[in-house]
Each structure stands twice: as structure tokens, then as C-alpha cells.
Amino acid sequence: MGNHVHQPDFGTGEKSLGIYSFGILLCVVLTLIPFWAVMHGTFSRGETLVVIFISALLQFLVQVVCFLRLNYSTEQSKMNVLSFYLAILILFVIVGGSLWIMWSLRYNMMH
């Protein structure tokens, strides 16, 4: 007989200080890059927007992997990732549909 307590599998994997520290470091760097691009003004407006967008996307991915701990290590974690994909799909449909409706209304109002 052991005193082993069964921990439920939430699909988040092993938590460690190292992965959180790495995530914070990457997030700080990915915040400073667009800040530097805007403050120094060495890029054109379009290039600066691309730098901001890419940094934001990379920071989003870092936060999903390092802090939400989404991965494919167990069956539960695979379900977590699929649920995340579904939430992203629903978000794109809602935002895209709303923008499409607003554009159509604007077009119809002007013509």
C-alpha cells in the first residue's frame, strides 16, 4: 500500500519554473522588439506594422505553449488543443462575419 494520490490529467504536462521563466523572458523580448521599432522609427509604417504583428503572433504562441501548456503529450492534452482550435475557428468566423456585414452595410449605404 502506498500513499500515492491520483492526480487528474488536465493535459497540461509537467509544470516547472524553467518553462515559466523562459516564457516570461521570451514575452519581454517580444514586447521590446516592436517597442524599439516604433521608438526608433527606422522602418516604414508598413514595415513597423509587420514587426508589431509578427511579434504579437509569436508572443501569443509563446503564451499558449509556455503558460497554457498546450501540447500533444496525452489524450487529454490533444483534446485541449482541439478545443483551442475550435475556439480560434469560432473567433475567426464571428470577427470575419462581423467585418463582412459591416463592409456590406457600408457599401450598400454608399451606393
Side-chain angles (χ1 to χ4, degrees), residues 78-96:
K78 290 177 186 174
M79 291 304 296
N80 291 348
V81 171
L82 289 175
S83 299
F84 184 73
Y85 288 157
L86 179 63
I88 295 295
L89 177 68
I90 290 170
L91 181 71
F92 276 120
V93 167
I94 290 172
V95 171

Side-chain angles (χ1 to χ4, degrees), residues 7 31 33-34 40-41 46 52 64 66 68 74 77 81-82 84 86 89 98 101 107-109:
Q7 297 292 328
T31 299
I33 290 171
H40 287 297
I52 292 171
V64 164
C66 293
L68 289 179
T74 64
S77 62
V81 171
L82 289 175
F84 184 73
L86 179 63
L89 177 68
S98 298
I101 289 169
Y107 179 81
N108 289 331
M109 293 288 287

Side-chain angles (χ1 to χ4, degrees), residues 32-45:
L32 291 176
I33 290 171
F35 180 78
W36 176 84
V38 170
M39 291 305 290
H40 287 297
T42 56
F43 299 117
S44 70
R45 183 178 178 149

Side-chain angles (χ1 to χ4, degrees), residues 16-109:
S16 67
L17 182 61
I19 192 72
Y20 290 118
S21 301
F22 180 69
I24 288 173
L25 179 67
L26 277 177
C27 285
V28 168
V29 169
L30 289 170
T31 299
L32 291 176
I33 290 171
F35 180 78
W36 176 84
V38 170
M39 291 305 290
H40 287 297
T42 56
F43 299 117
S44 70
R45 183 178 178 149
E47 291 169 339
T48 303
L49 288 173
V50 168
V51 168
I52 292 171
F53 179 75
I54 290 174
S55 294
L57 184 65
L58 289 174
Q59 190 171 106
F60 173 74
L61 293 175
V62 165
Q63 290 179 8
V64 164
V65 171
C66 293
F67 302 127
L68 289 179
R69 309 282 298 142
L70 287 181
N71 56 43
Y72 283 104
S73 62
T74 64
E75 281 300 315
Q76 181 60 45
S77 62
K78 290 177 186 174
M79 291 304 296
N80 291 348
V81 171
L82 289 175
S83 299
F84 184 73
Y85 288 157
L86 179 63
I88 295 295
L89 177 68
I90 290 170
L91 181 71
F92 276 120
V93 167
I94 290 172
V95 171
S98 298
L99 291 173
W100 182 22
I101 289 169
M102 288 188 289
W103 180 83
S104 295
L105 286 174
R106 181 183 173 276
Y107 179 81
N108 289 331
M109 293 288 287

